[in-house]
Amino acid sequence: MAIQPQDRGQIIERAVKIREKAYAPYSKYPVGASLLTGSGEIFDGVNVENAVYGMTICAERNAVFQAVAYGHRKFQAIAVASENAGSPCGACRQVLSEFGPDIEIYTVDSKGEVVLETTVRDLLPDAFGPEDLTAV
């Protein structure tokens, strides 16, 4: 299900803008993400790095976790902005897949130009999900 053009434009614009707030002193690779919920609300996230690299969080997961903290469980789309429109990492793909394989993903460069338009399903085929957990 394609989102409305105005929603697409809004999450792309917000992802580019929020990217300025990223904390990326080690990689120098700031990322911003804006997540559109099923109800039309938008939650933003940025990557936050840490000297202990394993404690770093990506912008995509930051946005998802904030939305979940406010009770949202259905997501329509996410825009991810970085210098070169990098694709979400495996961890972010897995977290997004928890909430639906049809979430639209737009990766955009620092100018807001869409480089990739796809879905979670296409980025993470055969994802591990709740249906894979069976009672023993």
Side-chain angles (χ1 to χ4, degrees):
M1 176 174 124
I3 65 171
Q4 296 296 314
Q6 67 270 16
D7 291 332
R8 181 180 187 265
Q10 186 176 17
I11 63 172
I12 288 170
E13 183 179 313
R14 285 178 65 150
V16 170
K17 180 113 177 100
I18 197 70
R19 180 176 171 258
E20 299 170 8
K21 306 285 187 189
Y23 180 73
Y26 307 106
S27 72
K28 309 287 193 257
Y29 191 78
V31 180
S34 291
L35 178 70
L36 178 65
T37 68
S39 66
E41 289 185 66
I42 299 173
F43 288 83
D44 300 319
V46 297
N47 57 323
V48 179
E49 295 180 350
N50 189 285
V52 177
Y53 295 132
M55 299 298 105
T56 295
I57 186 165
C58 298
E60 300 93 311
R61 285 180 284 146
N62 191 330
V64 169
F65 297 161
Q66 287 189 56
V68 168
Y70 282 89
H72 297 277
R73 302 292 187 272
K74 294 183 190 229
F75 306 124
Q76 297 182 58
I78 188 166
V80 183
S82 63
E83 184 64 31
N84 62 347
S87 187
C89 74
C92 290
R93 294 173 190 203
Q94 181 63 45
V95 167
L96 287 165
S97 77
E98 179 73 16
F99 298 97
D102 297 318
I103 297 169
E104 295 176 30
I105 299 173
Y106 306 101
T107 64
V108 303
D109 65 18
S110 59
K111 296 177 183 165
E113 295 296 322
V114 177
V115 173
L116 176 66
E117 186 172 332
T118 189
T119 64
V120 172
R121 180 186 320 276
D122 288 339
L123 283 183
L124 190 63
D126 301 319
F128 185 88
E131 65 281 357
D132 295 307
L133 298 173
T134 57
V136 179

